[in-house]
Coordinates of all heavy atoms in Angstrom, one line a residue:
M1 N 200.9 107.0 115.9 CA 199.7 107.5 116.5 C 198.5 106.9 115.9 O 197.5 106.6 116.5 CB 199.7 109.0 116.4 CG 198.6 109.7 117.1 SD 198.9 109.5 119.0 CE 197.8 110.7 119.5
K2 N 198.5 106.7 114.6 CA 197.5 106.1 113.9 C 197.1 104.7 114.4 O 196.1 104.2 114.5 CB 197.6 106.0 112.3 CG 197.4 107.4 111.6 CD 197.6 107.2 110.2 CE 197.2 108.4 109.4 NZ 197.4 108.3 108.0
S3 N 198.2 104.0 114.7 CA 198.1 102.6 115.2 C 197.4 102.5 116.6 O 196.6 101.7 116.7 CB 199.6 102.0 115.4 OG 199.4 100.7 115.9
V4 N 197.6 103.5 117.4 CA 197.0 103.5 118.7 C 195.5 103.9 118.6 O 194.7 103.2 119.2 CB 197.6 104.7 119.6 CG1 196.9 104.8 120.9 CG2 199.1 104.2 119.9
K5 N 195.1 104.8 117.7 CA 193.8 105.1 117.4 C 193.0 104.0 116.8 O 191.9 103.7 117.2 CB 193.6 106.4 116.5 CG 194.0 107.6 117.1 CD 193.9 108.8 116.2 CE 194.2 110.1 116.8 NZ 194.1 111.3 115.8
S6 N 193.7 103.2 115.9 CA 193.0 102.2 115.3 C 192.7 101.0 116.2 O 191.7 100.3 116.3 CB 193.9 101.5 114.2 OG 194.1 102.5 113.0
T7 N 193.7 100.8 117.2 CA 193.6 99.8 118.2 C 192.5 100.1 119.2 O 191.6 99.3 119.5 CB 194.9 99.6 119.0 OG1 196.0 99.4 118.1 CG2 194.8 98.6 120.0
V8 N 192.3 101.4 119.5 CA 191.3 101.9 120.5 C 189.9 101.7 119.8 O 189.0 101.2 120.4 CB 191.6 103.4 121.0 CG1 190.3 103.9 121.6 CG2 192.8 103.4 121.8
L9 N 189.9 102.1 118.6 CA 188.6 102.0 117.9 C 188.1 100.6 117.6 O 187.0 100.2 117.9 CB 188.6 102.7 116.5 CG 188.6 104.2 116.6 CD1 188.8 104.8 115.1 CD2 187.3 104.7 117.1
L10 N 189.2 99.7 117.3 CA 188.8 98.3 117.1 C 188.4 97.7 118.5 O 187.5 96.9 118.5 CB 190.0 97.6 116.7 CG 189.9 96.1 116.3 CD1 188.8 95.9 115.2 CD2 191.2 95.5 115.8
S11 N 189.1 98.0 119.6 CA 188.6 97.5 120.9 C 187.3 98.0 121.3 O 186.5 97.2 121.8 CB 189.7 97.9 122.0 OG 191.0 97.4 121.7
A12 N 187.0 99.2 121.1 CA 185.7 99.7 121.4 C 184.6 99.1 120.5 O 183.4 98.7 121.0 CB 185.6 101.3 121.1
S13 N 184.8 98.8 119.2 CA 183.9 98.1 118.4 C 183.6 96.7 118.9 O 182.5 96.2 119.0 CB 184.4 98.1 117.0 OG 184.5 99.4 116.5
A14 N 184.8 96.1 119.3 CA 184.6 94.6 119.7 C 183.9 94.6 121.0 O 183.0 93.7 121.3 CB 186.0 94.0 119.9
A15 N 184.1 95.5 122.0 CA 183.4 95.6 123.2 C 181.9 95.9 123.0 O 181.1 95.1 123.6 CB 184.0 96.6 124.1
A16 N 181.5 96.7 122.1 CA 180.1 96.9 121.8 C 179.5 95.7 121.1 O 178.3 95.4 121.6 CB 180.0 98.1 120.8
L17 N 180.1 95.0 120.3 CA 179.6 93.8 119.7 C 179.4 92.7 120.8 O 178.4 92.0 120.8 CB 180.6 93.3 118.6 CG 180.1 92.0 117.9 CD1 178.9 92.4 117.1 CD2 181.3 91.6 116.9
I18 N 180.4 92.5 121.7 CA 180.2 91.6 122.7 C 179.0 91.9 123.7 O 178.2 91.1 124.0 CB 181.6 91.4 123.5 CG1 182.6 90.7 122.6 CG2 181.4 90.7 124.8 CD1 184.0 90.8 123.2
L19 N 179.0 93.2 124.0 CA 177.9 93.6 124.9 C 176.5 93.5 124.3 O 175.5 93.2 124.9 CB 178.1 95.0 125.4 CG 179.2 95.3 126.4 CD1 179.4 96.7 126.7 CD2 179.0 94.4 127.7
S20 N 176.4 93.6 122.9 CA 175.1 93.6 122.3 C 174.6 92.1 122.4 O 173.3 92.0 122.4 CB 175.2 94.0 120.8 OG 176.1 93.1 120.1
G21 N 175.4 91.1 122.6 CA 174.9 89.8 122.8 C 174.3 89.6 124.2 O 173.6 88.7 124.4
C22 N 174.5 90.5 125.1 CA 174.0 90.4 126.5 C 172.7 91.2 126.6 O 172.0 91.1 127.7 CB 175.0 91.1 127.4 SG 176.6 90.2 127.4
V23 N 172.2 91.9 125.6 CA 171.0 92.6 125.8 C 169.8 91.7 125.6 O 169.8 91.0 124.6 CB 170.9 93.8 124.6 CG1 169.6 94.5 124.7 CG2 172.1 94.8 124.8
P24 N 168.9 91.7 126.4 CA 167.7 90.8 126.3 C 166.9 91.1 125.1 O 166.7 92.3 124.8 CB 166.9 91.0 127.6 CG 167.3 92.3 128.1 CD 168.7 92.6 127.6
S25 N 166.5 90.1 124.4 CA 165.6 90.2 123.3 C 164.1 90.1 123.8 O 163.8 89.1 124.5 CB 166.0 89.2 122.2 OG 165.0 89.3 121.2
P26 N 163.2 90.9 123.3 CA 161.9 90.8 123.7 C 161.2 89.4 123.3 O 160.5 88.9 124.1 CB 161.1 91.9 122.8 CG 162.1 92.9 122.5 CD 163.5 92.0 122.5
E27 N 161.7 88.8 122.2 CA 161.2 87.5 121.8 C 161.4 86.4 122.9 O 160.6 85.5 123.0 CB 161.8 87.0 120.5 CG 161.5 87.8 119.3 CD 162.2 89.1 119.2 OE1 163.3 89.2 119.8 OE2 161.9 90.0 118.4
N28 N 162.4 86.6 123.7 CA 162.8 85.6 124.7 C 161.7 85.6 125.9 O 161.7 84.7 126.8 CB 164.1 85.8 125.3 CG 165.2 85.6 124.3 OD1 165.0 84.7 123.3 ND2 166.3 86.2 124.5
Y29 N 161.0 86.7 126.0 CA 160.0 86.9 127.1 C 158.5 87.0 126.7 O 157.7 87.2 127.5 CB 160.3 88.1 127.8 CG 161.7 88.2 128.4 CD1 162.7 88.7 127.6 CD2 162.0 87.6 129.6 CE1 164.1 88.8 128.1 CE2 163.3 87.7 130.1 CZ 164.3 88.2 129.4 OH 165.6 88.1 129.9
E30 N 158.2 86.7 125.4 CA 156.9 86.7 124.9 C 156.0 85.6 125.5 O 156.4 84.5 125.8 CB 156.9 86.6 123.4 CG 157.3 87.7 122.6 CD 157.4 87.5 121.1 OE1 157.1 86.3 120.6 OE2 157.5 88.5 120.4
T31 N 154.8 86.0 125.8 CA 153.7 85.1 126.2 C 152.8 84.8 125.1 O 152.9 85.6 124.1 CB 153.0 85.5 127.5 OG1 152.3 86.7 127.2 CG2 154.0 85.8 128.6
T32 N 151.9 84.0 125.3 CA 150.8 83.8 124.3 C 150.0 85.1 124.1 O 149.6 85.7 125.2 CB 149.9 82.6 124.6 OG1 150.7 81.5 124.7 CG2 148.8 82.4 123.6
P33 N 149.8 85.6 122.9 CA 149.1 86.8 122.7 C 147.6 86.6 123.4 O 147.0 85.5 123.4 CB 148.9 87.0 121.2 CG 150.2 86.3 120.7 CD 150.3 85.1 121.6
V34 N 147.1 87.8 123.9 CA 145.8 87.8 124.5 C 144.9 88.8 123.8 O 145.4 89.8 123.2 CB 145.8 88.1 126.0 CG1 146.6 87.1 126.8 CG2 146.4 89.5 126.3
Q35 N 143.6 88.6 123.9 CA 142.7 89.6 123.2 C 142.0 90.3 124.4 O 141.6 89.7 125.4 CB 141.7 88.8 122.4 CG 142.4 88.2 121.2 CD 141.3 87.7 120.2 OE1 140.3 87.1 120.5 NE2 141.6 88.0 118.9
V36 N 141.8 91.6 124.2 CA 141.2 92.5 125.2 C 140.1 93.2 124.5 O 140.3 93.8 123.4 CB 142.2 93.5 125.8 CG1 141.5 94.4 126.7 CG2 143.4 92.8 126.4
Q37 N 138.8 93.1 125.0 CA 137.7 93.8 124.4 C 137.7 95.2 124.9 O 137.7 95.5 126.1 CB 136.4 93.1 124.8 CG 135.1 93.7 124.2 CD 135.2 93.6 122.7 OE1 135.4 92.5 122.1 NE2 134.8 94.7 122.0
S38 N 137.7 96.2 123.9 CA 137.6 97.6 124.2 C 136.3 98.2 123.7 O 135.6 97.5 123.0 CB 138.8 98.4 123.7 OG 138.6 98.5 122.3
E39 N 136.0 99.4 123.9 CA 134.8 100.1 123.5 C 134.9 100.1 121.9 O 133.8 100.1 121.3 CB 134.7 101.5 124.0 CG 134.4 101.5 125.5 CD 134.4 103.0 126.1 OE1 134.5 103.8 125.3 OE2 134.2 103.1 127.3
K40 N 136.0 100.1 121.4 CA 136.1 100.3 119.9 C 136.3 99.0 119.2 O 136.4 98.8 118.0 CB 137.3 101.2 119.5 CG 137.0 102.7 119.9 CD 138.2 103.6 119.5 CE 138.0 105.0 119.9 NZ 139.2 105.8 119.6
G41 N 136.4 97.8 120.0 CA 136.6 96.6 119.3 C 137.7 95.8 120.0 O 138.3 96.2 121.0
M42 N 138.0 94.6 119.4 CA 139.0 93.7 120.1 C 140.4 94.1 119.7 O 140.8 94.5 118.6 CB 138.8 92.3 119.5 CG 139.5 91.2 120.1 SD 139.0 90.9 121.8 CE 137.3 90.2 121.5
V43 N 141.3 94.2 120.7 CA 142.7 94.4 120.7 C 143.5 93.2 120.9 O 143.2 92.5 122.0 CB 143.1 95.6 121.6 CG1 144.6 95.9 121.5 CG2 142.3 96.8 121.3
T44 N 144.4 92.8 120.1 CA 145.2 91.6 120.5 C 146.6 92.2 121.0 O 147.2 93.0 120.4 CB 145.5 90.8 119.2 OG1 144.2 90.4 118.6 CG2 146.3 89.6 119.5
C45 N 146.9 91.7 122.1 CA 148.1 92.2 122.8 C 149.2 91.2 122.8 O 149.0 90.0 123.1 CB 147.8 92.6 124.2 SG 146.5 93.9 124.3
Q46 N 150.5 91.6 122.6 CA 151.6 90.7 122.9 C 152.1 91.2 124.2 O 152.7 92.3 124.4 CB 152.7 90.9 121.8 CG 153.9 90.1 122.1 CD 153.6 88.6 122.2 OE1 153.2 88.0 121.2 NE2 153.8 88.1 123.4
L47 N 152.0 90.4 125.2 CA 152.5 90.6 126.5 C 153.8 90.0 126.7 O 154.0 88.9 126.0 CB 151.4 90.2 127.6 CG 150.1 90.8 127.5 CD1 149.2 90.3 128.6 CD2 150.1 92.3 127.4
Y48 N 154.5 90.3 127.7 CA 155.8 89.7 128.0 C 155.8 89.3 129.5 O 154.7 89.3 130.0 CB 156.9 90.7 127.7 CG 157.0 91.1 126.2 CD1 156.2 92.2 125.7 CD2 157.8 90.4 125.3 CE1 156.2 92.4 124.3 CE2 157.8 90.6 124.0 CZ 156.9 91.7 123.4 OH 157.0 91.9 122.1
S49 N 156.9 89.0 130.0 CA 157.0 88.5 131.4 C 156.4 89.6 132.2 O 156.3 90.7 131.9 CB 158.4 88.2 131.7 OG 158.9 89.1 132.7
K50 N 155.8 89.1 133.4 CA 155.2 90.1 134.3 C 156.0 91.2 134.8 O 155.5 92.2 135.2 CB 154.5 89.2 135.4 CG 153.3 88.4 135.0 CD 152.7 87.8 136.2 CE 151.4 87.0 135.7 NZ 150.6 86.6 136.7
D51 N 157.3 91.0 134.7 CA 158.3 92.0 135.1 C 158.6 93.1 134.0 O 159.3 94.0 134.2 CB 159.6 91.4 135.6 CG 159.4 90.5 136.8 OD1 158.5 90.9 137.6 OD2 160.0 89.6 137.0
L52 N 158.1 92.7 132.8 CA 158.5 93.6 131.6 C 157.1 94.3 131.1 O 157.0 94.2 129.8 CB 159.2 92.8 130.6 CG 160.5 92.2 131.0 CD1 161.0 91.2 130.1 CD2 161.5 93.4 131.3
V53 N 156.3 94.8 131.8 CA 155.1 95.4 131.3 C 155.3 96.6 130.3 O 154.6 96.7 129.4 CB 154.3 95.9 132.6 CG1 153.0 96.7 132.1 CG2 153.9 94.6 133.4
A54 N 156.5 97.2 130.5 CA 156.8 98.3 129.6 C 156.9 97.9 128.1 O 156.8 98.7 127.3 CB 158.1 99.0 130.0
W55 N 157.2 96.6 127.9 CA 157.3 96.1 126.5 C 156.0 95.7 125.9 O 155.8 95.4 124.8 CB 158.2 94.8 126.5 CG 159.7 95.1 126.6 CD1 160.3 96.3 126.7 CD2 160.8 94.1 126.7 NE1 161.7 96.2 126.7 CE2 161.9 94.8 126.8 CE3 160.7 92.7 126.7 CZ2 163.1 94.2 126.9 CZ3 162.0 92.1 126.7 CH2 163.2 92.8 126.9
D56 N 155.0 95.5 126.8 CA 153.6 95.2 126.3 C 153.1 96.0 125.2 O 153.3 97.3 125.3 CB 152.6 95.1 127.4 CG 153.0 94.0 128.4 OD1 153.8 93.2 128.2 OD2 152.3 94.0 129.5
R57 N 152.6 95.4 124.1 CA 152.1 96.3 122.9 C 151.1 95.6 122.2 O 150.9 94.3 122.3 CB 153.3 96.5 122.0 CG 153.9 95.2 121.4 CD 155.1 95.5 120.6 NE 155.8 94.2 120.2 CZ 155.3 93.6 119.1 NH1 154.4 94.0 118.3 NH2 155.9 92.4 118.8
S58 N 150.4 96.3 121.3 CA 149.3 95.7 120.5 C 150.0 95.1 119.2 O 150.9 95.7 118.6 CB 148.3 96.8 120.2 OG 148.8 97.8 119.4
I59 N 149.4 94.1 118.8 CA 149.8 93.5 117.6 C 148.6 93.5 116.5 O 148.9 93.1 115.3 CB 150.5 92.0 117.7 CG1 149.5 91.1 118.3 CG2 151.8 92.2 118.4 CD1 150.0 89.7 118.5
H60 N 147.5 93.8 117.0 CA 146.3 93.9 116.2 C 145.3 94.8 116.9 O 145.1 94.7 118.1 CB 145.6 92.6 115.8 CG 144.6 92.7 114.7 ND1 143.5 93.5 114.8 CD2 144.5 92.1 113.5 CE1 142.8 93.4 113.7 NE2 143.4 92.5 112.9
R61 N 144.6 95.7 116.1 CA 143.7 96.7 116.7 C 142.7 97.0 115.6 O 142.9 96.8 114.4 CB 144.5 97.9 117.1 CG 145.1 98.6 116.0 CD 146.0 99.8 116.4 NE 146.9 100.3 115.3 CZ 146.5 100.9 114.2 NH1 145.3 101.4 114.1 NH2 147.4 101.3 113.4
P62 N 141.5 97.5 116.2 CA 140.5 97.9 115.2 C 140.9 99.1 114.4 O 141.8 99.9 114.7 CB 139.3 98.4 116.1 CG 139.7 97.8 117.5 CD 141.1 97.6 117.6
N63 N 140.3 99.2 113.1 CA 140.8 100.2 112.2 C 140.5 101.6 112.8 O 141.2 102.6 112.4 CB 140.0 100.1 110.9 CG 140.5 98.9 110.1 OD1 141.6 98.4 110.3 ND2 139.6 98.4 109.3
N64 N 139.5 101.8 113.7 CA 139.2 103.1 114.2 C 140.0 103.5 115.5 O 139.7 104.3 116.3 CB 137.7 103.2 114.5 CG 137.2 102.1 115.5 OD1 137.9 101.2 115.8 ND2 136.1 102.3 116.1
M65 N 141.0 102.7 115.7 CA 141.9 103.0 116.9 C 143.3 103.1 116.5 O 143.9 102.4 115.7 CB 141.8 101.7 117.9 CG 142.6 101.9 119.1 SD 142.5 100.3 120.1 CE 140.8 100.4 120.6
G66 N 144.0 104.1 117.2 CA 145.4 104.4 116.9 C 146.3 103.4 117.6 O 145.8 102.8 118.6
V67 N 147.5 103.4 117.2 CA 148.5 102.5 117.8 C 148.7 102.8 119.2 O 148.8 101.9 120.1 CB 149.9 102.6 117.1 CG1 150.9 101.8 117.7 CG2 149.7 102.1 115.5
Q68 N 148.9 104.1 119.6 CA 149.1 104.5 121.0 C 148.0 104.1 121.9 O 148.2 103.6 123.1 CB 149.4 106.1 121.1 CG 150.8 106.4 120.5 CD 151.0 107.9 120.5 OE1 150.1 108.7 120.7 NE2 152.3 108.3 120.6
E69 N 146.8 104.3 121.4 CA 145.6 103.9 122.2 C 145.6 102.3 122.5 O 145.4 101.9 123.6 CB 144.4 104.4 121.5 CG 143.0 104.1 122.3 CD 141.8 104.6 121.6 OE1 141.9 105.2 120.5 OE2 140.7 104.3 122.2
A70 N 145.9 101.7 121.4 CA 145.9 100.1 121.5 C 147.0 99.7 122.4 O 146.9 98.8 123.3 CB 146.1 99.5 120.1
D71 N 148.1 100.3 122.2 CA 149.3 100.0 123.2 C 149.0 100.2 124.6 O 149.4 99.5 125.5 CB 150.6 100.7 122.7 CG 151.2 100.1 121.4 OD1 150.8 99.0 121.0 OD2 152.2 100.8 120.9
A72 N 148.3 101.4 124.9 CA 147.9 101.7 126.3 C 147.0 100.7 126.9 O 147.2 100.3 128.0 CB 147.3 103.1 126.3
I73 N 146.2 100.2 126.0 CA 145.2 99.1 126.5 C 146.0 97.8 126.8 O 145.8 97.2 127.9 CB 144.2 98.8 125.4 CG1 143.2 100.0 125.4 CG2 143.4 97.5 125.6 CD1 142.2 100.0 124.1
C74 N 147.0 97.6 126.1 CA 147.8 96.4 126.3 C 148.7 96.5 127.5 O 148.8 95.6 128.3 CB 148.7 96.0 125.1 SG 147.7 95.5 123.7
K75 N 149.2 97.7 127.8 CA 150.0 98.0 128.9 C 149.1 97.8 130.2 O 149.5 97.3 131.1 CB 150.7 99.4 128.9 CG 151.9 99.3 128.0 CD 152.6 100.7 128.0 CE 153.7 100.9 127.0 NZ 154.3 99.8 126.3
E76 N 147.9 98.3 130.1 CA 146.9 98.2 131.2 C 146.7 96.7 131.5 O 146.6 96.2 132.7 CB 145.7 99.0 131.0 CG 145.9 100.5 131.2 CD 146.4 100.8 132.6 OE1 145.8 100.2 133.6 OE2 147.3 101.5 132.6
E77 N 146.5 96.0 130.4 CA 146.3 94.5 130.6 C 147.5 93.8 131.2 O 147.2 92.9 132.1 CB 145.9 93.9 129.2 CG 145.6 92.3 129.3 CD 144.6 91.9 130.2 OE1 143.7 92.7 130.5 OE2 144.5 90.7 130.5
G78 N 148.6 94.2 130.8 CA 149.8 93.7 131.4 C 149.9 94.0 132.9 O 150.3 93.1 133.6
K79 N 149.5 95.3 133.3 CA 149.6 95.6 134.7 C 148.5 94.8 135.5 O 148.8 94.4 136.6 CB 149.3 97.1 134.8 CG 150.4 98.0 134.4 CD 150.1 99.4 134.4 CE 151.1 100.3 133.8 NZ 150.7 101.7 133.7
R80 N 147.3 94.6 134.8 CA 146.2 93.9 135.5 C 146.7 92.4 135.7 O 146.5 91.9 136.8 CB 145.0 93.8 134.6 CG 143.8 93.2 135.2 CD 142.7 93.0 134.3 NE 143.0 91.9 133.4 CZ 142.9 90.6 133.7 NH1 142.8 90.3 134.9 NH2 143.2 89.7 132.8
Q81 N 147.4 91.8 134.8 CA 147.9 90.5 135.0 C 149.0 90.3 135.9 O 149.1 89.4 136.7 CB 148.3 89.8 133.6 CG 147.1 89.5 132.7 CD 147.6 88.6 131.4 OE1 148.6 88.1 131.4 NE2 146.6 88.7 130.5
K82 N 149.7 91.4 136.0 CA 150.9 91.4 137.0 C 150.4 91.5 138.4 O 150.9 90.8 139.3 CB 151.7 92.7 136.8 CG 153.0 92.8 137.6 CD 153.8 94.0 137.3 CE 155.1 94.0 138.2 NZ 155.9 95.1 137.8
R83 N 149.2 92.2 138.6 CA 148.6 92.2 140.0 C 147.9 90.9 140.4 O 147.7 90.7 141.6 CB 147.6 93.4 140.0 CG 148.2 94.8 140.0 CD 147.2 95.9 140.2 NE 146.1 95.8 139.2 CZ 146.0 96.6 138.0 NH1 147.0 97.4 137.8 NH2 145.0 96.6 137.3
S84 N 147.4 90.2 139.4 CA 146.8 88.9 139.7 C 147.6 87.8 140.0 O 148.7 87.8 139.8 CB 145.8 88.6 138.6 OG 146.5 88.3 137.4

C-alpha cells in the first residue's frame, strides 16, 4: 500500500512541476516602463501586454503615495493604452 501512495504522490509532484513550466511569467510580457503624472507626483508604471492590464503595477511612486494608489494609476494607464 505504501508503494501505491508513494507512486501517486510522486506522479502528482511530477505533474505539478511540468505544469509550472506552462504558467506565463510576467517578465515575458513587460513593455518599456512609462511615467504618469499624478496630482501627487510622477508614478513609473510597469505595463504588460495590452491583454494583461491586471498585471500593470507601479515600480516607483512619490513618497506621499501608497502602493495601492500608485498601482491603481498604472492600471488606469494600462486601460487607457488598451483603448488607444
